[in-house]
Amino acid sequence: MFKALLLVCLMVLAGSVRADDRPNIVVIMTDDAGYSDLGSFGGEIDTPHLDRLAEQGIRLSNFYSNGRCSPTRATLLTGLDCARVGFGGGVVGDWGREMPYPAHRGRLPYNTPLLSELLKDAGYRTLMSGKWHLGGSTMKVDTKQQEVWKRYHPGWELTKEEIELDWLALPLQRGFDEYFGLYGAQDSLFFVPGQPHPMREGNKPAKLTYDRVYTMHCFSKWQQRYNVNHGKTGKAFYATDGVTDRAIEMIEDAAGDDAPPFFLYVAHRAPHKPLQAPEELVQKYLKKYADIRAVEATRHKGVQTQGLYAKHLDYKPAWINPGKEDEFRLQMALHAAMMEKVDEGVGRLMDTLEQTGELDNTLVLYFSDNGNASHLDNIFNTPYRGMKALLWEGGTKTHFIASWPNRIEPGSMSHEQVWVGDILPMCLELAGVEYPETFRGQPTETLPGRNMLSVLQGQPRPPAEAIFFNDKGQQSVIYQGRWKLLIEPGWYTQTLNRPGIAYELYDLDQDPAELNNLAEAKPKLVQKLAKMCEDWKQDMGIVEYGELLELRPGDNK
């Protein structure tokens, strides 16, 4: 009897072991979230699920994106500098932004391997729910789009090859087994039955589910089409919830002891403009933001209390347009409400991983594609200066959380420098995949990033020799993790008319808020770093922004 019982127990245990013990990998990215938005990063927004994720894993205080939407996404999926794959100089993945130069093409090249393709070839199930924004279109099958393409590309020739390459740039053709989401940069988050929408299921228009009742708050200053649902109450599709719903379905379908591991990329469009959120949450945060400057000061204290920022360091207050405080406050409240909905979705995803038995074998990464956008100045990036698309720390540095039960120490923190390009090498190692020397008949580039797994496991690591950033006339480099040079920082329309070339040099060890410009005090270091930047630009093929504006005069708007 005892032997029979033991045999049964052994069979049960054997059946509970996965056929493939490589981890699932879940990447969750928000769009324009602020560095200190999360409670676990010193913020006042209610983010209990993300805070719990931080308690279960590690927070990185010194994580860098590429400072803008598509460039960060391009590096995440290719592991290469964004200019290597067509997203240099602030170019994003929209027809109206594409340039006829390799570094600024605005579409991922088909001969560069993506993380999704490499993992799929290695036996992973590859899933994506959310915003793509890396170029491509369905004009191959929807020929009416070809006339639209011509309007956006005056002087270009629409060839069969161009049509095919646009088709091959979409998620389903780039290694994802399943895709639900938005191809482009932005659109409404709320849709009611009968309204046209941009959401796709694979290569086809998605059929949306309108199963929740919302009172909709929609705010857009410039495009009134985004405000059509403002003030309405009724059943609607809300993209933040919809992206989470579809991701949950993907997990449930992919889970199982006999199933291969999966890679899931969840790319929220929130809190990117247009700002749209449930009314009750907006009202909640309007009350919380009665005193705007108090919010900013509380965040500064919060990052210090959390151990993310030294207690003796100051910060640069956000600029708020005098007389526009109420509008600024409303945009803060909408941003916060959108972030709370993201947090709610993360909680539901984590519950699903646990309920399906996948949680213990899943690495979860959470971060933003850049800092908060310009309509909020740098208030939600406190204590850092700058915002999305500007190369000060507030534009490029974002919060980062990683969790992996029994592999990452709960409640830990690292101040080591990490860059978004470090994610792909780590994922390949976990999947047992070698980066190929050739892909689709072409030699591949050497990966500039470094496997970051050791950092997530609490080990020290020296900073990169250099990390470069370039965005619409601005250039910067972080040298050996300490010295940061910025050349012509700021909005191009403002810097263009200033005499000479502006240089700013900061010691990030002593002045991470970038308040004390050392350029005049250290001219030799400025000269050295400026030469490094110029060499890097030449290597990447980055074209001067003034030349790009001659082709696309409205690009700087």
Side-chain angles (χ1 to χ4, degrees):
M1 180 68 179
F2 174 76
K3 289 182 178 180
L5 182 61
L6 178 61
L7 180 60
V8 170
C9 291
L10 289 174
M11 290 174 66
V12 170
L13 287 172
S16 67
V17 177
R18 294 182 66 103
D20 188 335
D21 62 358
R22 292 177 298 173
N24 306 313
I25 301 168
V26 176
V27 175
I28 307 171
M29 181 193 288
T30 50
D31 197 350
D32 295 359
Y35 180 87
S36 52
D37 273 352
L38 315 183
S40 48
F41 276 75
E44 73 298 321
I45 300 173
D46 289 329
T47 55
H49 304 291
L50 286 164
D51 299 342
R52 187 176 306 117
L53 191 70
E55 291 170 1
Q56 296 168 346
I58 189 170
R59 288 173 291 169
L60 304 187
S61 68
N62 199 21
F63 175 80
Y64 287 92
S65 70
N66 284 335
R68 191 185 282 266
C69 178
S70 298
T72 294
R73 295 161 203 271
T75 294
L76 170 68
L77 290 182
T78 67
L80 298 172
D81 282 295
C82 55
R84 282 274 188 237
V85 291
F87 289 93
V91 166
V92 294
D94 302 303
W95 276 352
R97 305 287 183 176
E98 293 179 339
M99 307 284 185
Y101 301 101
H104 308 276
R105 185 59 183 82
R107 184 180 66 200
L108 290 176
Y110 193 56
N111 58 6
T112 296
L114 303 193
L115 179 58
S116 49
E117 293 170 313
L118 297 174
L119 292 181
K120 181 175 181 176
D121 288 347
Y124 270 69
R125 189 163 179 180
T126 51
L127 313 163
M128 181 178 175
S129 183
K131 176 176 172 177
W132 178 242
H133 207 201
L134 290 170
S137 76
T138 57
M139 64 175 166
K140 176 181 177 179
V141 294
D142 182 2
T143 56
K144 292 180 181 178
Q145 293 184 34
Q146 295 177 19
E147 293 304 315
V148 179
W149 185 95
K150 292 175 183 177
R151 292 201 298 271
Y152 279 110
H153 299 82
W156 295 35
E157 182 182 3
L158 182 58
T159 62
K160 290 183 179 180
E161 180 185 16
E162 176 65 26
I163 293 170
E164 183 67 16
L165 287 173
D166 240 36
W167 172 256
L168 293 175
L170 295 175
L172 240 57
Q173 286 74 260
R174 296 310 311 261
F176 284 101
D177 294 317
E178 296 181 49
Y179 172 74
F180 171 81
L182 173 73
Y183 288 159
Q186 66 185 53
D187 210 305
S188 289
L189 290 175
F190 283 117
F191 296 97
V192 301
Q195 288 180 340
H197 66 82
M199 306 301 288
R200 313 288 293 190
E201 182 68 47
N203 293 318
K204 299 178 180 180
K207 183 178 180 180
L208 303 185
T209 301
Y210 307 91
D211 57 356
R212 293 181 178 90
V213 174
Y214 302 93
T215 297
M216 295 166 263
H217 195 121
C218 307
F219 176 84
S220 177
K221 292 174 64 175
W222 313 115
Q223 298 193 51
Q224 292 305 308
R225 67 186 179 93
Y226 293 140
N227 294 329
V228 295
N229 290 323
H230 178 65
K232 294 179 181 178
T233 299
K235 288 189 174 182
F237 172 88
Y238 184 57
T240 302
D241 287 337
V243 163
T244 299
D245 291 343
R246 188 67 184 90
I248 287 173
E249 291 175 355
M250 291 174 178
I251 293 172
E252 291 174 338
D253 190 48
D257 291 339
D258 296 328
F262 60 83
F263 168 58
L264 171 62
Y265 175 29
V266 183
H268 285 289
R269 211 274 290 153
H272 191 291
K273 290 172 29 176
L275 303 174
Q276 299 183 355
E279 181 65 42
E280 67 272 16
L281 291 180
V282 177
Q283 293 302 318
K284 167 185 172 179
Y285 286 102
L286 278 173
K287 294 176 183 176
K288 186 172 281 193
Y289 294 155
D291 186 340
I292 296 174
R293 291 302 181 189
V295 173
E296 189 175 43
T298 300
R299 286 195 175 212
H300 177 228
K301 184 176 181 180
V303 292
Q304 293 174 323
T305 302
Q306 293 282 350
L308 298 157
Y309 194 72
K311 291 188 176 180
H312 69 279
L313 294 174
D314 206 348
Y315 68 99
K316 183 180 185 295
W319 181 82
I320 302 172
N321 192 353
K324 297 285 188 179
E325 290 87 355
D326 287 345
E327 180 179 282
F328 193 89
R329 183 181 296 106
L330 174 60
Q331 292 180 95
M332 289 174 65
L334 279 155
H335 176 108
M338 294 166 79
M339 284 300 298
E340 183 167 333
K341 289 297 290 180
V342 168
D343 177 79
E344 177 187 303
V346 171
R348 293 198 290 127
L349 280 176
M350 297 305 294
D351 287 346
T352 303
L353 288 170
E354 185 171 18
Q355 291 161 7
T356 56
E358 297 289 343
L359 181 60
D360 287 348
N361 195 44
T362 300
L363 170 64
V364 178
L365 309 179
Y366 175 90
F367 56 100
S368 179
D369 61 349
N370 42 250
N372 76 233
S374 60
H375 57 279
L376 295 172
D377 201 72
N378 54 243
I379 194 163
F380 282 161
N381 296 327
T382 302
Y384 296 109
R385 176 185 180 185
M387 63 212 75
K388 169 186 178 179
L390 299 183
L391 300 185
W392 291 289
E393 294 286 275
T396 57
K397 184 173 282 190
T398 88
H399 49 240
F400 187 102
I401 299 172
S403 176
W404 189 5
N406 303 314
R407 297 295 188 93
I408 294 176
E409 182 181 354
S412 55
M413 181 186 298
S414 174
H415 302 294
E416 304 296 345
Q417 182 199 69
V418 178
W419 172 56
V420 63
D422 297 339
I423 293 175
L424 182 140
M426 175 183 67
C427 293
L428 294 186
E429 177 173 301
L430 292 174
V433 176
E434 293 285 339
Y435 191 73
E437 294 183 1
T438 61
F439 187 75
R440 295 195 172 112
Q442 297 292 323
T444 58
E445 299 283 348
T446 300
L447 293 175
R450 303 173 298 157
N451 184 345
M452 60 183 283
L453 183 59
S454 63
V455 176
L456 299 188
Q457 295 177 330
Q459 299 173 27
R461 184 180 79 163
E465 181 69 9
I467 300 178
F468 295 91
F469 306 89
N470 183 282
D471 196 297
K472 298 192 176 184
Q474 309 166 85
Q475 176 66 48
S476 73
V477 60
I478 299 174
Y479 177 61
Q480 296 183 343
R482 177 179 180 182
W483 296 104
K484 181 173 180 180
L485 178 70
L486 297 101
I487 304 173
E488 292 288 89
W491 302 113
Y492 185 79
T493 52
Q494 297 173 356
T495 61
L496 179 63
N497 296 320
R498 295 174 186 167
I501 299 175
Y503 295 96
E504 295 182 10
L505 178 70
Y506 299 103
D507 180 350
L508 296 181
D509 283 355
Q510 304 299 321
D511 181 26
E514 298 167 300
L515 302 176
N516 183 24
N517 183 4
L518 301 175
E520 292 186 3
K522 294 184 176 292
K524 291 185 178 180
L525 183 56
V526 169
Q527 185 178 24
K528 174 182 176 177
L529 299 185
K531 177 65 165 54
M532 290 174 60
C533 286
E534 187 58 33
D535 291 345
W536 177 82
K537 286 170 61 179
Q538 292 295 321
D539 182 42
M540 293 292 146
I542 289 176
V543 178
E544 292 300 326
Y545 190 56
E547 294 182 39
L548 299 181
L549 275 182
E550 292 178 6
L551 296 173
R552 298 258 187 216
D555 184 73
N556 63 336
K557 295 180 180 178

